[in-house]
Amino acid sequence: MKGISKDMAFWKKMRFKYKLSFLNENTLEEVFALRLSRLSGLLTLAVFVVFLITLTAIVIIKTPIRNYLPGYLDSEIRQEMIDNALRTDSLQQQLFIQSKYLQNVTAILRGDMKVDQVRQVDSVKDNSNVNLEKSKQTADFVRNYEEEEKYNLNVVQTSSLRSDNAFFYRPVKGLISSSFNLKEKHYGIDIAAKPQESVLATMKGTVIYAGFDANFGYVIHIQHSNGFLSVYKHNALLLKEEGDEVFGGEVIALVGSTGNLSTGDHLHFELWYKGKAVDPIEYINFN
C-alpha cells in the first residue's frame, strides 16, 4: 500500500498545474495566464525537441548543406568532378601541343631551326604500322613461360573451345555494337553501355598497363595467369594502376567516350591468347 500511495503521490505531483500570469505593471491587471503541469511541460519540451530534429534533418536533406557532410556528396557533383578532371587533362595536352607549335614557329623565325627539321605535333598518331620488337628480357620471359605451361592441361588449347577451368566475367552490361573482325583489324568487340557504367575485370590478373592514349582514350591491360590478356579501351576513368592485382568481376574503370577514335559511350574490349587476338564471344556470354 505504501508503494501504491507513493506512485499516486508522484503522479499527482506531476499532474499538479501551476499558473504563470503576465500582469500589467501599471494597473496590475492580468494580461495573459498559462496553466501548465510538470507532465505537460515535459511533453511540450519533448515535442519541441522532435520538431527541431526533424526540421534540421529536412534542411540538411533538401538543401546543398548536405554536400558539406561526409558521405553526402551528390552524384551530380561527382559526375561534374570527373568531367572537369577529363577536361583539365585534355586542356593540358592541347596547351602542350600549342606550346611546342609556337616554339617551332619561333625557332623558324629566328633562324635557329630549318624548315625541314620541323615535326608536326599532333595528338592523333597512326600506330598501325609500328613494329614493336620484343626486348631480350621479354623474349626470355615468354620462352620460359611457354616451357612451364607446355604440359599444363588446365590451359585452353584452342580459341574455338571453352575451358571449364577458365571462367570469364562479362566486362560491362550493354549491347554489342561492333563485332570481332581480323580482316578489318578490329581485334575486339564494341559494347554500347551507359555513361559511367562499371567496367569489370573479366578474370583474375595483374594490371600491366593503365594510361591514356590519344586514339583510344583511357586504356587498361590485364595479364591473366592462364595465357590470356584482356584490354579495355575508351574508358572515362581508370580505377586501377599498373601492378595492381585484380579479381574477376572487380570494378577497374568507368565507361566513357575518350580518345579520338571513339564515337560514343562504349567499351572496346579485346581478348588475346598467347599473343593472338581471339573473339571474346567464344568465351563470354554477353546475353
Side-chain angles (χ1 to χ4, degrees), residues 23-93:
L23 304 177
N24 190 323
E25 186 177 1
N26 296 325
T27 63
L28 298 180
E29 180 183 0
E30 188 179 54
V31 179
F32 177 75
L34 181 64
R35 294 178 179 273
L36 285 175
S37 64
R38 294 180 180 180
L39 181 60
S40 60
L42 290 175
L43 290 176
T44 303
L45 180 61
V47 171
F48 176 75
V49 170
V50 172
F51 172 76
L52 185 61
I53 293 175
T54 305
L55 181 62
T56 304
I58 293 175
V59 171
I60 292 176
I61 294 173
K62 297 296 183 179
T63 63
I65 296 177
R66 68 183 184 278
N67 295 326
Y68 293 95
L69 299 178
Y72 280 90
L73 188 60
D74 193 75
S75 59
E76 294 181 359
I77 296 179
R78 293 179 185 271
Q79 178 62 37
E80 291 180 0
M81 292 174 61
I82 294 175
D83 292 340
N84 290 334
L86 295 175
R87 292 191 188 99
T88 301
D89 183 72
S90 299
L91 288 174
Q92 289 178 346
Q93 293 182 6

Side-chain angles (χ1 to χ4, degrees), residues 152-203:
N152 188 352
L153 299 180
N154 292 328
V155 176
V156 179
Q157 299 298 329
T158 64
S159 61
S160 61
L161 297 177
R162 296 190 183 186
S163 174
D164 296 333
N165 298 316
F167 180 80
F168 297 83
Y169 285 87
R170 183 172 61 178
V172 72
K173 295 180 180 179
L175 299 176
I176 297 178
S177 58
S178 183
S179 303
F180 178 84
N181 194 324
L182 284 177
K183 294 181 179 180
E184 296 180 1
K185 296 184 179 180
H186 193 254
Y187 300 114
I189 60 174
D190 293 336
I191 307 173
K194 297 179 181 179
Q196 310 303 316
E197 183 76 24
S198 297
V199 177
L200 310 181
T202 189
M203 296 178 66

Side-chain angles (χ1 to χ4, degrees), residues 79 82-83 86 171-173 175 177 189-200 212-213 215-220 232-239 251-269:
Q79 178 62 37
I82 294 175
D83 292 340
L86 295 175
V172 72
K173 295 180 180 179
L175 299 176
S177 58
I189 60 174
D190 293 336
I191 307 173
K194 297 179 181 179
Q196 310 303 316
E197 183 76 24
S198 297
V199 177
L200 310 181
F212 184 84
D213 183 271
N215 292 330
F216 303 110
Y218 288 98
V219 181
I220 186 168
Y232 314 76
K233 298 180 179 180
H234 301 300
N235 298 288
L237 183 67
L238 301 182
L239 305 180
V251 180
I252 58 174
L254 300 179
V255 170
S257 182
T258 57
N260 295 292
L261 298 182
S262 178
T263 57
D265 292 302
H266 75 287
L267 172 69
H268 177 83
F269 176 71

